[in-house]
Amino acid sequence: MDQTFSGGVFTETIDGGRAGAEIELLPSGVGARTPDGEAFVIPYRECQVEVGGFSGRMVFCRNADRSLTIFCESPKFAKALSFASSGMLDDQLTSGLKKQRGESRRGFAIGTFFVIAMLLLLVGGYFGIRAGARSAVLALPVSIDAQIGDAAMGSMDLGGPKLDDEVVVGAMQSIVDRLAPTAAIEGIDFRVHVVESNQINAFALPGGNMVVYTGLIRNAENPEQVAAVLSHEMSHATLRHGVQRIGQSLGIWAGVSLLIGDVSGLMGSAVDLMQVASVNSYSRAHENEADREGVRMLHAAEIDPSGMADFFEQLEEKHGDVPGIFAWVSTHPDHASRIASVRAQVAALPSHEYREIEVDWPAVKRRVDEMDGREIDQQPNADQENAEVE
Amino acid sequence: MQHQLLAQPAMSIAKLTLQAGESVTCEVGAMIAMSSGFTVETTSRNRGGGGGLAKGLKRMFAGENFFLNHFTATAPNQTLWIGPGLLGDVMHYPLSGGTLIVQGSSWLASDVGIEIDATWQGLGKALFSGEGMFWVKCSGRGDLFLNSFGAIYPVEVNGEYVVDTGHIVAFEDTLNFKIGKAGSSLIGSVLGGEGLVCKFSGQGKLYCQSHNPPSFGQLLGPKLKAR
């Protein structure tokens, strides 16, 4: 078989030690002919084969004292060499090719490992900072909550005029004052603001500012039902759901600046957030937590906690087809299961002598109803209609 | 084409003398001065050969320019002066049918008979070699001019040889390298300031540069005024 390949030759006898050459597989051995006409031959049985070069596929044939090397990169050369040498060089060729493959595989594996490690580091770093920021927010003193809440309260649209009727506001404040000693954390000063609006709604800002709409009072049959709603809202404040949400929504750079101790950025974004999503939509987990904590507070304050489930049911029966009005519970997708879980929790509580709330409820309702007469805007504020406190 | 290398090694430039009809392909921006008897053609192809868009893009990835300038002499004894962007040496390599692997951005000029192509060096090497992701592969016959940062020195390798990352200018394709650590332990290698090195094996010529641009940049960068 007479085949030629293009390759080269290394030897001291030619100028520069290297030359390009035509490689031929002769019956006597591997032959090379340089463009200058010099010819070299390495007999097959003397041939030491190595595989390497930049491509990793170059075949080198060296003579016994390594003074002459003939090399070729042609992809068909290895096979042709094996054939021409009648299999004499197969062992060397196979082990050389195997070594090269192993090395390129190793390089690829290290590179891939490095790329994956970098990606993991980036992703891990991102979530690490997020998680760190969240716990750093929770580690902040409760006074921060009040600062955020006060700033948000001062600049947010409440959806109606504030009411300063002593009977109504006093009644609400007395309910809150009875619940306050049972709060999960100390240092929150609960202040109630009553706002004239048809919304059946109430919410608490971080730090203790609470807003109750007259719609809620009008629809409650007894003060225990109002206490149930208020205990749920107070729980959002005492469990610091507001600041937790701020921690979750912080951008990565705000998170980093918080971790290195800069709270000013947090304050700015927190107040913005609280205003926009003022009447805080909390996560399902936070809602359930607030329900449980609300029931616990009611029980501890010796107020009948069954008022909570009663009120949910009553509202659904009465206003179930008017979602805008029925703000407090309307958007809960599994409202029924929420009622059931509150009932289950109440049933599991140790029996207790509950004390009535000392509020002249008919008088409070009368004051609110009287206001109906002079209320100009009976419709709920359009902006607030969908912004429910859950 | 005759050539003469001047002002070596720190500020080297090459003076090429071409006869009528001879051509040379240069890196974009390499021309310093020239006689009036040249036509200049800018394309993304090798002269008279293949190439085009894909080759141009590959060259860009290798740290070279998308375009190539072809200078063709229209009169006898036309001189063309070319030089690199950074301070450093210029070397001449007569390519006689083999292949030379050149670090991206080190290719300066070559005979029109030489094919300039980019070649991927593998993921592991691309990340750690301190060179570009691609190398420039020069093959064919003719004169090849390369530039470096600092002086160039040739090393005849037969067996194994170690070069710090970032100091390679070019090597013959009969050589191969892998990335390894300078010392026996990785921590020692890093503390010794050498970190990872390129370990060459095989037989052939290797050209190294005395300085490396990234180290120079790291020294200089902080001292520059912000723009």
Side-chain angles (χ1 to χ4, degrees):
Chain A
M1 189 178 74
D2 214 20
Q3 244 185 314
T4 58
F5 302 91
S6 84
V9 60
F10 285 113
T11 179
E12 293 298 318
T13 61
I14 50 177
D15 195 28
R18 173 190 171 150
E22 292 268 289
I23 315 294
E24 243 179 305
L25 294 167
L26 307 165
S28 55
V30 185
R33 186 178 297 276
T34 66
D36 298 341
E38 280 187 272
F40 303 90
V41 177
I42 304 174
Y44 293 123
R45 90 192 99 73
E46 255 188 57
C47 206
Q48 298 174 15
V49 176
E50 284 169 26
V51 180
F54 183 69
S55 62
R57 289 189 301 271
M58 192 179 270
V59 178
F60 295 83
C61 301
R62 301 180 194 277
N63 65 356
D65 62 358
R66 298 173 78 89
S67 62
L68 174 67
T69 304
I70 295 171
F71 59 89
C72 180
E73 204 180 14
S74 169
K76 288 178 184 151
F77 182 71
K79 210 166 187 185
L81 179 65
S82 150
F83 187 76
S85 64
S86 324
M88 203 192 296
L89 302 174
D90 280 8
D91 287 352
Q92 296 189 58
L93 273 170
T94 321
S95 77
L97 286 167
K98 212 169 165 185
K99 198 176 144 209
Q100 282 300 322
R101 264 202 299 272
E103 261 172 30
S104 73
R105 228 175 272 156
R106 186 172 147 259
F108 182 76
I110 292 175
T112 313
F113 171 79
F114 183 77
V115 168
I116 291 172
M118 286 303 285
L119 281 175
L120 284 180
L121 209 67
L122 272 173
V123 173
Y126 176 77
F127 285 107
I129 288 172
R130 287 288 294 267
R134 214 174 303 162
S135 35
V137 163
L138 279 182
L140 291 172
V142 183
S143 60
I144 293 280
D145 295 33
Q147 284 180 47
I148 295 169
D150 289 348
M153 183 76 194
S155 52
M156 74 192 291
D157 176 16
L158 295 173
K162 247 201 220 175
L163 190 73
D164 49 5
D165 185 278
E166 255 177 54
V167 179
V168 180
V169 179
M172 293 302 120
Q173 187 68 50
S174 73
I175 296 172
V176 168
D177 287 348
R178 185 158 158 199
L179 285 164
T182 69
I185 51 169
E186 284 180 14
I188 295 186
D189 175 23
F190 291 100
R191 281 143 294 151
V192 179
H193 309 270
V194 179
V195 172
E196 281 187 46
S197 167
N198 280 345
Q199 292 183 71
I200 307 169
N201 208 349
F203 65 86
L205 286 170
N209 276 304
M210 303 193 62
V211 173
V212 181
Y213 290 101
T214 48
L216 180 82
I217 300 169
R218 208 174 293 129
N219 281 279
E221 279 179 358
N222 51 49
E224 278 75 14
Q225 292 183 345
V226 176
V229 171
L230 293 181
S231 70
H232 171 97
E233 291 305 328
M234 287 165 80
S235 303
H236 280 315
T238 59
L239 300 173
R240 306 185 78 185
H241 289 162
V243 282
Q244 281 187 45
R245 234 183 83 223
I246 294 162
Q248 278 161 2
S249 62
L250 275 186
I252 197 81
W253 291 116
V256 171
S257 72
L258 178 66
L259 285 180
I260 59 173
D262 176 16
V263 185
S264 55
L266 168 79
M267 283 294 293
S269 57
V271 173
D272 280 352
L273 187 78
M274 278 294 154
Q275 279 177 32
V276 177
S278 58
V279 246
N280 330 301
S281 48
Y282 292 106
S283 71
R284 189 90 200 96
H286 279 175
E287 289 303 335
N288 288 338
E289 212 184 352
D291 279 351
R292 279 196 302 276
E293 173 67 6
V295 170
R296 188 200 65 77
M297 283 172 77
L298 291 168
H299 183 73
E302 300 176 334
I303 298 171
D304 186 359
S306 58
M308 189 180 281
D310 289 349
F311 193 42
F312 290 171
E313 274 177 2
Q314 180 189 323
L315 287 176
E316 193 177 43
E317 278 164 24
K318 210 161 150 190
H319 296 290
D321 52 341
V322 195
I325 300 278
F326 182 34
W328 203 73
V329 280
S330 65
T331 55
H332 267 281
D334 49 355
H335 181 56
S337 76
R338 189 181 180 187
I339 294 174
S341 78
V342 169
R343 286 237 186 273
Q345 198 195 341
V346 171
L349 285 172
S351 62
H352 202 292
E353 278 293 306
Y354 294 117
R355 289 190 291 119
E356 271 189 17
I357 296 174
E358 288 161 12
V359 163
D360 185 357
W361 192 243
V364 172
K365 294 256 295 194
R366 210 162 39 241
R367 292 302 282 253
V368 173
D369 286 338
E370 277 169 25
M371 268 163 239
D372 259 355
R374 61 177 178 80
E375 225 173 327
I376 301 153
D377 183 11
Q378 290 276 351
Q379 295 305 310
N381 182 305
D383 288 340
Q384 291 282 326
E385 198 165 336
N386 295 317
E388 289 94 15
V389 172
E390 296 180 0
Chain B
M1 182 171 69
Q2 291 173 307
H3 71 270
Q4 205 181 346
L5 300 179
L6 302 163
Q8 283 183 292
M11 312 274 181
S12 311
I13 54 170
K15 179 191 174 189
L16 311 177
T17 308
L18 283 81
Q19 301 306 320
E22 284 186 323
S23 292
V24 65
T25 304
C26 296
E27 183 182 14
V28 168
M31 193 272 285
I32 299 166
M34 63 179 184
S35 316
S36 54
F38 274 108
T39 56
V40 184
E41 190 192 346
T42 303
T43 68
S44 65
R45 296 169 172 276
N46 288 323
R47 176 109 186 148
L53 193 67
K55 282 262 170 77
L57 289 174
K58 273 172 88 181
R59 263 201 308 279
M60 270 173 74
F61 275 112
E64 290 291 344
N65 208 293
F66 180 76
F67 292 107
L68 300 168
N69 283 339
H70 304 291
F71 293 84
T72 307
T74 54
N77 293 322
Q78 297 297 305
T79 52
L80 171 68
W81 300 77
I82 54 172
L86 278 172
L87 300 183
D89 209 350
V90 173
M91 73 172 234
H92 168 250
Y93 182 91
L95 201 57
S96 59
T99 300
L100 191 72
I101 312 294
V102 178
Q103 181 237 131
S105 81
S106 273
W107 175 78
L108 182 64
S110 59
D111 258 339
V112 289
I114 292 178
E115 172 98 356
I116 311 292
D117 197 5
T119 175
W120 167 248
Q121 55 171 329
L123 188 59
K125 288 180 191 170
L127 287 169
F128 300 113
S129 71
E131 311 286 353
M133 303 289 265
F134 289 85
W135 294 79
V136 179
K137 199 166 143 188
C138 303
S139 48
R141 272 170 206 284
D143 294 311
L144 181 61
F145 295 93
L146 306 178
N147 65 261
S148 68
F149 184 54
I152 299 179
Y153 60 96
V155 181
E156 195 70 56
V157 178
N158 191 355
E160 296 211 327
Y161 204 79
V162 175
V163 183
D164 194 6
T165 50
H167 283 270
I168 304 162
V169 176
F171 55 92
E172 291 175 344
D173 68 337
T174 48
L175 287 173
N176 196 10
F177 74 87
K178 53 185 183 186
I179 305 291
K181 37 192 202 300
S184 54
S185 81
L186 186 61
I187 293 170
S189 298
V190 171
L191 294 178
E194 298 303 343
L196 296 169
V197 293
C198 300
K199 291 183 170 171
F200 279 87
S201 60
Q203 187 175 3
K205 270 208 179 78
L206 162 68
Y207 296 89
C208 302
Q209 57 190 1
S210 59
H211 293 69
N212 83 56
S215 300
F216 180 64
Q218 279 164 21
L219 277 176
L220 193 65
K223 295 188 170 65
L224 296 176
K225 269 189 187 167
R227 264 191 288 185

